[in-house]
Amino acid sequence: MKMDELLGNIPYTVLQGSANTEVSGICWDSRRIKPGSLFICVKGRNIDRHDFAKQAVSDGAAALVVEHQVFRIPPDIPVIKVPDTRIALAEAASLLYGRPSESLKLIGVTGTNGKTSVTWFMEKLLRHGGKRPGIISTIENRIGEYRLNTIKINPTTPDPLELHASFSEMAAKGATHVIMEVTSSALAQSRVHGLGFDIGIFTNLTQDHLEEHGTMENYRNEKLKLFRMCRVGIINIDDSYAEDFIRGAACPVLTYGINKDADFMAEDISCFLDGTDFTLKYKGGRKRLHMKVPGLFNVYNMLAAVSVCVQHGFDINEIADWVESIEGVKGRFELISNPSNLSVIIDYAHSPDSLQNILSSVRKLTEKRVILVFGCGGNRDKTKRPIMGNIGGSTADYCIITSDNPRKEEPLSIINDI
């Protein structure tokens, strides 16, 4: 494909060579350069890939896309300047794979907590309804039982090359929908630029990722971008930031919740260690639902998934049967069987709010001693560490503080912060 074709409608300036140059593919990671590829110099938080432009050419790159002048590039190598290389990467990736997202209904889920569970619940429900959804999440990228061949590099929302390759693979496998977690980082870094979401879901917003966004306001504003890219928004009305999302959305909005009046409400909730019962109230009607998944926070997650199914026109009686068949998500309030007959639970809780939710849920389900094992990741928001330490120390009977991926930090320093 020719370089100028890959840039679509993005304005550009030719710094040297010709924009009509044929390239064999796209790359933004200089370690993965293949001969004949177009190297797009993406600026990251910690790395500016303009610094690797000369090395990329030495390793076989046929052309460069840059945001600013790069030096000592051989004169026979075309160099094109664009306003934003991240947006150029997203546009080029989509065109390279033939705009596969346009043949799929995209459902995006954003929020601090609950994204993985909502995508999991939604995928199971839509499959019961005869749809063929693909899923892109923290845990896995797959369609049905088929795990994608596309290499999963980013932990949650992929970079544009991986993302559009995944869309292409899913479309080839007959996917009708793609349900994906959309992180604040992905929105800030234009990984989902140009996508048209059928439905966007907001779960909640609590302290996290401030090492990247700086303030809660910035964090909120990045997540708000999703609701300017979708046809319908579905918002957790009980969250303290809900009104910001409702006001900021550029689409019609539906709401779900427990404490405030909403389009989809849960009432008469009964929580058990092995499941939860609640009454769904919507459009003036009521339906009793049972799910095998414990935790009040999972009532919110299921409400979000059920609201999507209602949007697709499924009958509430069918949905109720489907809800009852859903098993929990691996690593999310996951009960571990053991010969001592103790209640052992694994949960991915990595923010103050998620830790508080899991501990509060456990407290309501047992009168026995609660022992908490947790840690905080390195090179991430340091301000949440003492908050999580306070939550653990005041809610659990006993805390064991351990390492949780310290990255480049000293593990004991993280533990001391907690």
Side-chain angles (χ1 to χ4, degrees), residues 366-414:
T366 183
E367 295 179 354
K368 296 183 178 180
R369 190 167 61 155
V370 175
I371 301 172
L372 172 65
V373 182
F374 82 109
C376 291
N379 301 113
R380 295 296 185 266
D381 180 9
K382 294 183 178 182
T383 63
K384 70 180 183 181
R385 294 172 186 170
I387 299 171
M388 293 177 70
N390 185 52
I391 290 168
S394 61
T395 312
D397 293 294
Y398 196 85
C399 292
I400 299 171
I401 314 299
T402 186
S403 287
D404 177 5
N405 191 4
R407 297 180 176 89
K408 295 181 180 180
E409 283 195 70
E410 171 58 45
L412 281 177
S413 175
I414 298 171

Short mmCIF file of all heavy atoms in Angstrom, two decimals, residues 366-414:
data_model
loop_
_atom_site.label_atom_id
_atom_site.label_comp_id
_atom_site.label_asym_id
_atom_site.label_seq_id
_atom_site.Cartn_x
_atom_site.Cartn_y
_atom_site.Cartn_z
N THR A 366 -19.77 -12.86 56.00
CA THR A 366 -19.20 -13.74 57.02
C THR A 366 -19.08 -13.01 58.35
O THR A 366 -18.92 -11.79 58.39
CB THR A 366 -17.81 -14.26 56.59
OG1 THR A 366 -17.32 -15.18 57.58
CG2 THR A 366 -16.81 -13.12 56.46
N GLU A 367 -19.16 -13.78 59.43
CA GLU A 367 -18.90 -13.24 60.76
C GLU A 367 -17.53 -13.68 61.26
O GLU A 367 -17.13 -13.37 62.38
CB GLU A 367 -19.99 -13.71 61.74
CG GLU A 367 -21.37 -13.16 61.40
CD GLU A 367 -22.44 -13.65 62.37
OE1 GLU A 367 -22.11 -14.50 63.23
OE2 GLU A 367 -23.59 -13.19 62.27
N LYS A 368 -16.81 -14.40 60.41
CA LYS A 368 -15.50 -14.91 60.79
C LYS A 368 -14.40 -13.88 60.50
O LYS A 368 -14.66 -12.82 59.94
CB LYS A 368 -15.23 -16.22 60.04
CG LYS A 368 -16.20 -17.33 60.42
CD LYS A 368 -15.85 -18.63 59.71
CE LYS A 368 -16.80 -19.75 60.13
NZ LYS A 368 -16.48 -21.03 59.45
N ARG A 369 -13.20 -14.23 60.87
CA ARG A 369 -12.07 -13.33 60.70
C ARG A 369 -11.74 -13.16 59.21
O ARG A 369 -11.77 -14.12 58.42
CB ARG A 369 -10.86 -13.90 61.44
CG ARG A 369 -9.68 -12.94 61.53
CD ARG A 369 -8.65 -13.41 62.51
NE ARG A 369 -8.10 -14.72 62.13
CZ ARG A 369 -6.90 -15.15 62.50
NH1 ARG A 369 -6.14 -14.40 63.28
NH2 ARG A 369 -6.47 -16.33 62.14
N VAL A 370 -11.41 -11.94 58.81
CA VAL A 370 -11.04 -11.64 57.43
C VAL A 370 -9.55 -11.34 57.37
O VAL A 370 -9.06 -10.43 58.03
CB VAL A 370 -11.83 -10.43 56.89
CG1 VAL A 370 -11.34 -10.04 55.50
CG2 VAL A 370 -13.33 -10.73 56.87
N ILE A 371 -8.83 -12.14 56.61
CA ILE A 371 -7.38 -11.96 56.42
C ILE A 371 -7.16 -11.46 54.99
O ILE A 371 -7.58 -12.10 54.03
CB ILE A 371 -6.62 -13.29 56.65
CG1 ILE A 371 -6.89 -13.80 58.07
CG2 ILE A 371 -5.12 -13.09 56.41
CD1 ILE A 371 -6.35 -15.19 58.32
N LEU A 372 -6.49 -10.34 54.86
CA LEU A 372 -6.28 -9.69 53.56
C LEU A 372 -4.82 -9.79 53.15
O LEU A 372 -3.92 -9.45 53.92
CB LEU A 372 -6.70 -8.22 53.64
CG LEU A 372 -6.37 -7.33 52.45
CD1 LEU A 372 -7.14 -7.76 51.20
CD2 LEU A 372 -6.65 -5.87 52.77
N VAL A 373 -4.59 -10.25 51.92
CA VAL A 373 -3.25 -10.27 51.33
C VAL A 373 -3.28 -9.34 50.12
O VAL A 373 -4.06 -9.56 49.19
CB VAL A 373 -2.84 -11.69 50.88
CG1 VAL A 373 -1.42 -11.68 50.31
CG2 VAL A 373 -2.96 -12.68 52.03
N PHE A 374 -2.49 -8.28 50.13
CA PHE A 374 -2.52 -7.36 48.98
C PHE A 374 -1.22 -6.57 48.88
O PHE A 374 -0.38 -6.58 49.78
CB PHE A 374 -3.72 -6.42 49.08
CG PHE A 374 -3.51 -5.22 49.98
CD1 PHE A 374 -3.38 -3.94 49.45
CD2 PHE A 374 -3.45 -5.36 51.37
CE1 PHE A 374 -3.20 -2.84 50.27
CE2 PHE A 374 -3.27 -4.26 52.19
CZ PHE A 374 -3.14 -2.99 51.64
N GLY A 375 -1.07 -5.87 47.76
CA GLY A 375 0.07 -4.99 47.54
C GLY A 375 -0.34 -3.92 46.54
O GLY A 375 -1.48 -3.88 46.09
N CYS A 376 0.59 -3.07 46.17
CA CYS A 376 0.35 -2.02 45.16
C CYS A 376 1.46 -2.08 44.12
O CYS A 376 2.61 -2.37 44.44
CB CYS A 376 0.32 -0.64 45.81
SG CYS A 376 -1.10 -0.35 46.88
N GLY A 377 1.10 -1.78 42.87
CA GLY A 377 2.06 -1.84 41.78
C GLY A 377 3.09 -0.72 41.85
O GLY A 377 2.82 0.37 42.35
N GLY A 378 4.26 -0.98 41.32
CA GLY A 378 5.30 0.03 41.25
C GLY A 378 5.14 0.95 40.06
O GLY A 378 4.49 0.61 39.08
N ASN A 379 5.75 2.15 40.16
CA ASN A 379 5.70 3.15 39.08
C ASN A 379 4.29 3.49 38.66
O ASN A 379 3.99 3.70 37.48
CB ASN A 379 6.51 2.66 37.87
CG ASN A 379 7.95 2.41 38.21
OD1 ASN A 379 8.41 1.27 38.19
ND2 ASN A 379 8.69 3.46 38.58
N ARG A 380 3.38 3.49 39.64
CA ARG A 380 2.00 3.89 39.43
C ARG A 380 1.62 4.89 40.52
O ARG A 380 2.43 5.21 41.37
CB ARG A 380 1.07 2.66 39.45
CG ARG A 380 1.29 1.66 38.30
CD ARG A 380 0.96 2.29 36.96
NE ARG A 380 1.06 1.33 35.86
CZ ARG A 380 2.15 1.16 35.12
NH1 ARG A 380 3.25 1.83 35.39
NH2 ARG A 380 2.14 0.29 34.11
N ASP A 381 0.41 5.35 40.53
CA ASP A 381 -0.07 6.37 41.46
C ASP A 381 0.31 6.04 42.91
O ASP A 381 -0.24 5.13 43.52
CB ASP A 381 -1.59 6.49 41.32
CG ASP A 381 -2.19 7.53 42.25
OD1 ASP A 381 -1.43 8.29 42.88
OD2 ASP A 381 -3.43 7.57 42.33
N LYS A 382 1.26 6.80 43.46
CA LYS A 382 1.74 6.54 44.82
C LYS A 382 0.75 7.03 45.88
O LYS A 382 0.75 6.51 47.00
CB LYS A 382 3.10 7.23 45.04
CG LYS A 382 4.23 6.65 44.20
CD LYS A 382 5.55 7.34 44.54
CE LYS A 382 6.68 6.73 43.72
NZ LYS A 382 7.99 7.34 44.07
N THR A 383 -0.08 8.01 45.53
CA THR A 383 -0.97 8.58 46.54
C THR A 383 -2.05 7.61 47.00
O THR A 383 -2.63 7.79 48.07
CB THR A 383 -1.64 9.87 46.01
OG1 THR A 383 -2.48 9.56 44.89
CG2 THR A 383 -0.59 10.88 45.59
N LYS A 384 -2.35 6.58 46.18
CA LYS A 384 -3.40 5.65 46.59
C LYS A 384 -2.89 4.59 47.57
O LYS A 384 -3.69 3.91 48.21
CB LYS A 384 -4.03 4.97 45.37
CG LYS A 384 -3.15 3.97 44.64
CD LYS A 384 -3.89 3.37 43.45
CE LYS A 384 -3.05 2.32 42.74
NZ LYS A 384 -3.75 1.74 41.57
N ARG A 385 -1.59 4.47 47.72
CA ARG A 385 -1.04 3.41 48.58
C ARG A 385 -1.44 3.57 50.04
O ARG A 385 -1.96 2.61 50.63
CB ARG A 385 0.49 3.36 48.43
CG ARG A 385 0.94 2.94 47.04
CD ARG A 385 2.43 3.09 46.87
NE ARG A 385 2.82 2.80 45.49
CZ ARG A 385 4.05 3.04 45.00
NH1 ARG A 385 5.00 3.54 45.80
NH2 ARG A 385 4.32 2.77 43.73
N PRO A 386 -1.23 4.73 50.68
CA PRO A 386 -1.66 4.86 52.07
C PRO A 386 -3.18 4.78 52.22
O PRO A 386 -3.67 4.34 53.26
CB PRO A 386 -1.12 6.23 52.50
CG PRO A 386 -0.87 6.97 51.24
CD PRO A 386 -0.49 5.94 50.22
N ILE A 387 -3.92 5.20 51.19
CA ILE A 387 -5.38 5.09 51.25
C ILE A 387 -5.78 3.63 51.29
O ILE A 387 -6.63 3.21 52.09
CB ILE A 387 -6.02 5.80 50.04
CG1 ILE A 387 -5.66 7.30 50.03
CG2 ILE A 387 -7.54 5.63 50.06
CD1 ILE A 387 -6.07 8.02 48.76
N MET A 388 -5.17 2.82 50.42
CA MET A 388 -5.47 1.38 50.40
C MET A 388 -4.99 0.72 51.69
O MET A 388 -5.64 -0.20 52.20
CB MET A 388 -4.84 0.73 49.17
CG MET A 388 -5.48 1.19 47.86
SD MET A 388 -4.71 0.50 46.39
CE MET A 388 -5.21 -1.22 46.50
N GLY A 389 -3.85 1.18 52.23
CA GLY A 389 -3.38 0.65 53.50
C GLY A 389 -4.36 0.93 54.62
O GLY A 389 -4.63 0.07 55.48
N ASN A 390 -4.93 2.12 54.62
CA ASN A 390 -5.92 2.49 55.64
C ASN A 390 -7.18 1.65 55.51
O ASN A 390 -7.75 1.19 56.51
CB ASN A 390 -6.25 3.98 55.53
CG ASN A 390 -7.17 4.44 56.63
OD1 ASN A 390 -6.90 4.22 57.80
ND2 ASN A 390 -8.27 5.06 56.27
N ILE A 391 -7.62 1.44 54.27
CA ILE A 391 -8.82 0.62 54.04
C ILE A 391 -8.58 -0.81 54.52
O ILE A 391 -9.41 -1.40 55.23
CB ILE A 391 -9.20 0.63 52.55
CG1 ILE A 391 -9.73 2.02 52.15
CG2 ILE A 391 -10.24 -0.45 52.24
CD1 ILE A 391 -9.85 2.22 50.65
N GLY A 392 -7.42 -1.36 54.15
CA GLY A 392 -7.12 -2.73 54.59
C GLY A 392 -7.00 -2.84 56.10
O GLY A 392 -7.58 -3.73 56.73
N GLY A 393 -6.27 -1.88 56.70
CA GLY A 393 -6.04 -1.93 58.13
C GLY A 393 -7.28 -1.71 58.97
O GLY A 393 -7.40 -2.25 60.08
N SER A 394 -8.23 -0.94 58.45
CA SER A 394 -9.44 -0.64 59.23
C SER A 394 -10.58 -1.60 58.94
O SER A 394 -11.54 -1.66 59.72
CB SER A 394 -9.90 0.80 58.94
OG SER A 394 -10.20 0.95 57.56
N THR A 395 -10.49 -2.36 57.86
CA THR A 395 -11.61 -3.23 57.47
C THR A 395 -11.31 -4.71 57.69
O THR A 395 -12.18 -5.47 58.13
CB THR A 395 -11.99 -3.01 55.99
OG1 THR A 395 -12.12 -1.61 55.73
CG2 THR A 395 -13.31 -3.69 55.66
N ALA A 396 -10.10 -5.13 57.40
CA ALA A 396 -9.73 -6.53 57.62
C ALA A 396 -9.24 -6.73 59.05
O ALA A 396 -8.85 -5.78 59.73
CB ALA A 396 -8.64 -6.93 56.63
N ASP A 397 -9.28 -7.99 59.53
CA ASP A 397 -8.76 -8.30 60.86
C ASP A 397 -7.24 -8.39 60.86
O ASP A 397 -6.59 -8.12 61.86
CB ASP A 397 -9.33 -9.64 61.34
CG ASP A 397 -10.83 -9.54 61.57
OD1 ASP A 397 -11.24 -8.81 62.49
OD2 ASP A 397 -11.59 -10.17 60.82
N TYR A 398 -6.69 -8.77 59.70
CA TYR A 398 -5.26 -9.00 59.63
C TYR A 398 -4.82 -8.73 58.20
O TYR A 398 -5.48 -9.17 57.25
CB TYR A 398 -4.93 -10.43 60.04
CG TYR A 398 -3.48 -10.68 60.38
CD1 TYR A 398 -2.99 -10.43 61.66
CD2 TYR A 398 -2.60 -11.16 59.42
CE1 TYR A 398 -1.66 -10.65 61.97
CE2 TYR A 398 -1.26 -11.39 59.72
CZ TYR A 398 -0.80 -11.14 61.00
OH TYR A 398 0.52 -11.35 61.31
N CYS A 399 -3.73 -8.00 58.00
CA CYS A 399 -3.23 -7.69 56.65
C CYS A 399 -1.83 -8.27 56.45
O CYS A 399 -0.96 -8.13 57.30
CB CYS A 399 -3.16 -6.18 56.44
SG CYS A 399 -4.74 -5.35 56.36
N ILE A 400 -1.66 -8.89 55.31
CA ILE A 400 -0.33 -9.33 54.87
C ILE A 400 0.00 -8.49 53.64
O ILE A 400 -0.65 -8.60 52.60
CB ILE A 400 -0.32 -10.83 54.51
CG1 ILE A 400 -0.69 -11.66 55.75
CG2 ILE A 400 1.04 -11.24 53.96
CD1 ILE A 400 -0.93 -13.12 55.46
N ILE A 401 1.00 -7.61 53.77
CA ILE A 401 1.36 -6.71 52.68
C ILE A 401 2.49 -7.35 51.87
O ILE A 401 3.53 -7.71 52.42
CB ILE A 401 1.84 -5.33 53.20
CG1 ILE A 401 0.90 -4.81 54.29
CG2 ILE A 401 1.94 -4.33 52.06
CD1 ILE A 401 -0.52 -4.60 53.88
N THR A 402 2.26 -7.49 50.58
CA THR A 402 3.23 -8.17 49.74
C THR A 402 3.49 -7.35 48.49
O THR A 402 2.99 -6.23 48.33
CB THR A 402 2.72 -9.58 49.37
OG1 THR A 402 3.74 -10.29 48.66
CG2 THR A 402 1.46 -9.51 48.52
N SER A 403 4.29 -7.86 47.57
CA SER A 403 4.60 -7.14 46.33
C SER A 403 3.56 -7.45 45.26
O SER A 403 3.08 -8.58 45.15
CB SER A 403 5.99 -7.51 45.82
OG SER A 403 6.99 -6.92 46.62
N ASP A 404 3.23 -6.42 44.48
CA ASP A 404 2.33 -6.59 43.34
C ASP A 404 2.99 -5.89 42.15
O ASP A 404 2.73 -4.72 41.89
CB ASP A 404 0.96 -5.98 43.65
CG ASP A 404 0.01 -6.04 42.47
OD1 ASP A 404 0.38 -6.64 41.45
OD2 ASP A 404 -1.09 -5.48 42.56
N ASN A 405 3.89 -6.59 41.49
CA ASN A 405 4.60 -6.06 40.33
C ASN A 405 5.28 -4.72 40.65
O ASN A 405 4.82 -3.65 40.22
CB ASN A 405 3.64 -5.88 39.15
CG ASN A 405 4.37 -5.58 37.85
OD1 ASN A 405 5.60 -5.56 37.80
ND2 ASN A 405 3.62 -5.35 36.79
N PRO A 406 6.37 -4.74 41.42
CA PRO A 406 7.04 -3.48 41.81
C PRO A 406 7.70 -2.73 40.65
O PRO A 406 8.10 -1.58 40.83
CB PRO A 406 8.09 -3.95 42.82
CG PRO A 406 8.31 -5.39 42.51
CD PRO A 406 7.00 -5.93 42.00
N ARG A 407 7.81 -3.38 39.49
CA ARG A 407 8.44 -2.77 38.33
C ARG A 407 9.83 -2.26 38.71
O ARG A 407 10.64 -3.03 39.17
CB ARG A 407 7.54 -1.67 37.74
CG ARG A 407 6.20 -2.22 37.23
CD ARG A 407 5.31 -1.14 36.64
NE ARG A 407 4.09 -1.71 36.09
CZ ARG A 407 2.97 -1.91 36.80
NH1 ARG A 407 2.93 -1.56 38.08
NH2 ARG A 407 1.91 -2.46 36.23
N LYS A 408 10.07 -0.96 38.55
CA LYS A 408 11.43 -0.44 38.81
C LYS A 408 11.58 0.18 40.18
O LYS A 408 12.60 0.82 40.48
CB LYS A 408 11.79 0.57 37.72
CG LYS A 408 11.89 -0.04 36.33
CD LYS A 408 12.27 1.00 35.28
CE LYS A 408 12.37 0.36 33.91
NZ LYS A 408 12.75 1.35 32.87
N GLU A 409 10.58 0.02 41.05
CA GLU A 409 10.65 0.57 42.40
C GLU A 409 11.17 -0.47 43.38
O GLU A 409 11.06 -1.68 43.16
CB GLU A 409 9.28 1.06 42.86
CG GLU A 409 8.86 2.39 42.27
CD GLU A 409 7.69 2.99 43.03
OE1 GLU A 409 7.88 3.41 44.18
OE2 GLU A 409 6.59 3.02 42.46
N GLU A 410 11.69 0.02 44.49
CA GLU A 410 12.13 -0.85 45.58
C GLU A 410 10.89 -1.40 46.29
O GLU A 410 10.07 -0.65 46.79
CB GLU A 410 12.99 -0.06 46.55
CG GLU A 410 13.34 -0.78 47.83
CD GLU A 410 14.07 -2.09 47.59
OE1 GLU A 410 15.00 -2.10 46.75
OE2 GLU A 410 13.69 -3.09 48.22
N PRO A 411 10.70 -2.74 46.32
CA PRO A 411 9.50 -3.32 46.91
C PRO A 411 9.21 -2.85 48.34
O PRO A 411 8.07 -2.57 48.69
CB PRO A 411 9.77 -4.82 46.87
CG PRO A 411 10.68 -4.99 45.71
CD PRO A 411 11.54 -3.77 45.70
N LEU A 412 10.24 -2.76 49.17
CA LEU A 412 10.02 -2.35 50.57
C LEU A 412 9.55 -0.89 50.67
O LEU A 412 8.82 -0.52 51.59
CB LEU A 412 11.28 -2.55 51.40
CG LEU A 412 11.54 -4.00 51.84
CD1 LEU A 412 12.87 -4.09 52.59
CD2 LEU A 412 10.41 -4.51 52.72
N SER A 413 9.96 -0.06 49.71
CA SER A 413 9.52 1.33 49.69
C SER A 413 8.02 1.40 49.42
O SER A 413 7.29 2.18 50.05
CB SER A 413 10.28 2.10 48.61
OG SER A 413 9.78 3.42 48.51
N ILE A 414 7.53 0.55 48.52
CA ILE A 414 6.09 0.49 48.24
C ILE A 414 5.34 0.02 49.47
O ILE A 414 4.30 0.60 49.84
CB ILE A 414 5.83 -0.45 47.04
CG1 ILE A 414 6.50 0.09 45.77
CG2 ILE A 414 4.31 -0.60 46.81
CD1 ILE A 414 6.46 -0.88 44.61
#
